[in-house]
């Protein structure tokens, strides 16, 4: 049956897969909810978005995005509070960043009513899929790709925007050992580092594979010019704790402007922790770890919230970091953010968005 809500055409599945979903045994990115959102932009005109049963999409082999990579995405999460209400976290920030990525990749801008209302309607329909529990969430993946059937290199005239959703569970990973990358780069000034475009992730796989062969789980990217300054870690922003202060690379066109990064910096300030956004050199951190002034290094992003590192590998030597405990800065920040995101403590920042 098809119904019209908020200018979204909804066709519900005849058979929900929810009974096959075990919230106590979630394997990230493999299970998808019953529905997905699809909206096409045809020659600059957005068509009525549709919510349809989750399923495959068929395309012509000359699909432009497959050949030239006009493809972008966002990563966000929805939570359920004690009252069973579904909450999103700062979704407007993801919406804005999506269109910043779209502009850089010369793609169509997505209207707010399609992105935000689309998320809301989809979450209402698949609310049963938002798992409860401390670190459980529903991972939301809005994405868009060029849908012209054309082999010439030019901006596509047609785009498809979609949202799919996948339950995410507890993140069990033990603190990773990360390698300071001094040969390959993730991004350079004038490039696309600040955009969440598909190609950035493809380009990072080979250096990450080489590092994995050397026993490192993750990379710490350095600047493209000199490999002297830290930029990011894998697909996370990076923070250091030096003499009790949080030190983090200042965002620029070579760094993706993480919403978790921004959130944690605001939270830290509200907790009375000093922050410094500036260039952070590899030498400063290696010396600091050796001298005992740098006590924590951690990645921050939607997927893990906070991921403390066990050691940093630089030019063949591993510099070990102390284990995280209750009083660690990263632990306090993670707890505060989780409590706000799940509605456990009052949100004085206006970050939580009730669906
Ligand atoms: C998505 C992403 C981040 C983290 O951004 P959040 O908004 O915090 O999830 C950081 N770096 C890269 C390269 C990313 O793709």
């Amino acid at each position: 049956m098809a119904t019209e809500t908020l200018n979204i055409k909804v066709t519900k599945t005849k058979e929900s897969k929810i009974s096959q979903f075990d919230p106590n045994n979630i394997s990230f990115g493999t299970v998808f909810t019953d529905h997905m959102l699809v909206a096409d932009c045809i020659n600059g005109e957005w068509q009525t978005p549709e919510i349809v049963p989750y399923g495959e999409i068929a395309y012509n082999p000359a699909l432009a995005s497959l050949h030239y990579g006009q493809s972008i995405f966002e990563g966000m999460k929805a939570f359920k509070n004690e009252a069973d209400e579904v909450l999103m976290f700062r979704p407007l920030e993801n919406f804005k960043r999506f269109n910043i990525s779209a502009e850089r990749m010369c793609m169509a801008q997505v209207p707010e009513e399609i992105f935000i209302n689309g998320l809301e309607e989809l979450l209402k329909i698949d609310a049963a899929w938002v798992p409860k529990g401390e670190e459980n969430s529903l991972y939301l993946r809005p994405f868009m790709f060029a849908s012209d059937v054309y082999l010439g290199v030019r901006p596509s005239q047609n785009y498809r925007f979609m949202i799919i959703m996948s339950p995410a569970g507890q993140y069990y990973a033990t603190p990773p050992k990360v390698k300071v990358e001094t040969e390959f780069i993730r991004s350079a000034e004038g490039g696309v580092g600040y955009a969440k475009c598909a190609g950035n992730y493809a380009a990072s796989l080979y250096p990450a594979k080489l590092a994995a062969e050397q026993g490192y789980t993750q990379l710490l990217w350095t600047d493209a010019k000199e490999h002297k300054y830290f930029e990011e870690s894998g697909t996370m922003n990076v923070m250091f704790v030096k003499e009790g202060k949080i030190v983090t690379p200042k965002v620029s066109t070579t760094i993706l402007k993480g919403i978790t990064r921004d959130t944690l910096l605001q939270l830290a300030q509200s907790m009375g922790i000093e922050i410094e956004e500036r260039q952070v050199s590899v030498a400063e951190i290696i010396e600091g770890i050796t001298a005992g002034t740098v006590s924590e290094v951690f990645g921050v992003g939607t997927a893990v919230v906070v991921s403390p590192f066990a050691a940093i590998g630089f030019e063949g030597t591993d510099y070990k970091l102390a284990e995280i405990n209750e009083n660690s800065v990263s632990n306090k920040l993670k707890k505060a953010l989780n409590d706000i995101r799940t509605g456990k403590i009052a949100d004085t920042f206006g970050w939580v968005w009730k669906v």
Side-chain angles (χ1 to χ4, degrees):
M1 195 187 77
T3 49
E4 296 275 340
T5 0
L6 274 168
N7 294 321
I8 296 177
K9 189 176 168 222
V10 178
T11 310
K12 288 203 182 156
T13 181
K14 290 194 187 78
E15 211 168 338
S16 170
K17 297 169 294 184
I18 190 91
S19 63
Q20 297 163 28
F21 165 55
D22 175 6
N24 298 312
N25 187 13
I26 302 174
S27 145
F28 177 74
T30 57
V31 171
F32 301 93
T33 66
D34 285 327
H35 299 91
M36 61 185 188
L37 181 123
V38 184
D40 286 315
C41 183
I42 298 176
N43 292 321
E45 293 270 337
W46 281 97
Q47 313 295 303
T48 303
E50 289 196 46
I51 288 174
V52 295
Y54 187 91
E56 283 168 17
I57 48 177
Y59 273 104
N60 188 293
L63 186 74
S65 51
L66 291 179
H67 299 272
Y68 308 121
Q70 270 188 302
S71 178
I72 59 169
F73 68 95
E74 268 304 325
M76 41 206 303
K77 282 176 171 177
F79 306 87
K80 213 170 241 176
N81 64 13
E82 287 303 313
D84 266 343
E85 291 166 319
V86 175
L87 313 171
M88 280 195 283
F89 192 77
R90 307 185 76 185
L92 288 173
E93 298 302 314
N94 295 91
F95 164 67
K96 284 184 222 155
R97 188 170 68 192
F98 193 77
N99 277 337
I100 290 171
S101 299
E103 182 182 36
R104 181 62 182 86
M105 303 309 286
C106 210
M107 299 168 79
Q109 293 283 300
V110 176
E112 184 175 326
E113 56 270 28
I114 293 182
F115 191 100
I116 297 289
N117 293 352
L119 280 167
E120 287 202 303
E121 288 311 305
L122 200 53
L123 278 170
K124 279 180 198 162
I125 291 171
D126 282 342
W129 289 85
V130 185
K132 259 184 152 163
E134 182 74 349
E135 282 184 65
N136 287 346
S137 64
L138 186 63
Y139 185 80
L140 316 173
R141 169 53 62 87
F143 62 106
M144 180 166 66
F145 55 92
S147 55
D148 273 13
V149 174
Y150 178 61
L151 280 190
V153 178
R154 59 141 167 78
S156 189
Q157 288 159 356
N158 301 291
Y159 294 93
R160 169 160 282 198
F161 172 74
M162 297 186 70
I163 305 172
I164 57 174
M165 313 198 290
S166 175
Q170 207 128 11
Y171 207 85
Y172 287 115
T174 48
K177 229 172 74 166
V178 297
K179 179 191 159 188
V180 179
E181 180 58 67
T182 51
E183 184 185 351
F184 296 98
I185 61 165
R186 191 191 83 87
S187 92
E189 271 170 43
V192 297
Y194 67 91
K196 253 179 141 66
C197 59
N200 279 345
Y201 305 85
S204 73
L205 298 176
Y206 181 63
K209 178 185 154 228
L210 296 182
E213 285 165 7
Q214 299 163 356
Y216 298 99
T217 322
Q218 191 84 257
L219 288 175
L220 263 169
W221 298 107
T222 52
D223 71 283
K225 274 190 200 143
E226 302 178 277
H227 292 301
K228 256 189 175 163
Y229 300 99
F230 284 116
E231 297 228 310
E232 298 199 51
S233 177
T235 59
M236 299 179 288
N237 293 113
V238 64
M239 293 186 178
F240 306 88
V241 177
K242 187 182 179 189
E243 291 159 341
K245 285 184 215 166
I246 292 177
V247 180
T248 192
K250 202 179 158 91
V251 285
S252 67
T253 55
T254 61
I255 293 180
L256 192 117
K257 209 171 161 194
I259 296 159
T260 314
R261 174 189 180 280
D262 178 74
T263 302
L264 294 178
L265 289 180
Q266 290 193 52
L267 269 178
Q269 283 174 306
S270 78
M271 292 159 76
I273 302 168
E274 263 185 78
I275 64 166
E276 283 178 15
E277 294 179 76
R278 57 170 172 83
Q279 277 195 319
V280 186
S281 75
V282 176
E284 175 188 355
I285 296 307
I286 296 300
E287 280 164 27
I289 296 175
T290 311
T293 52
V294 170
S295 52
E296 296 174 52
V297 182
F298 52 98
V300 305
T302 297
V304 289
V305 186
V306 169
S307 166
F309 300 149
I312 290 180
F314 177 57
E315 292 177 341
T317 305
D318 285 348
Y319 296 85
K320 281 211 175 71
L321 289 149
E323 258 179 58
I324 296 300
N325 60 45
E326 286 282 296
N327 294 318
S328 302
V329 171
S330 59
N331 198 55
K332 284 187 198 161
L333 289 178
K334 179 173 187 163
K335 192 172 177 333
L337 178 52
N338 270 345
D339 286 350
I340 292 183
R341 292 206 301 189
T342 51
K344 253 195 208 148
I345 60 169
D347 165 30
T348 52
F349 298 90
W351 287 335
V352 174
W353 180 295
K354 221 175 262 180
V355 173

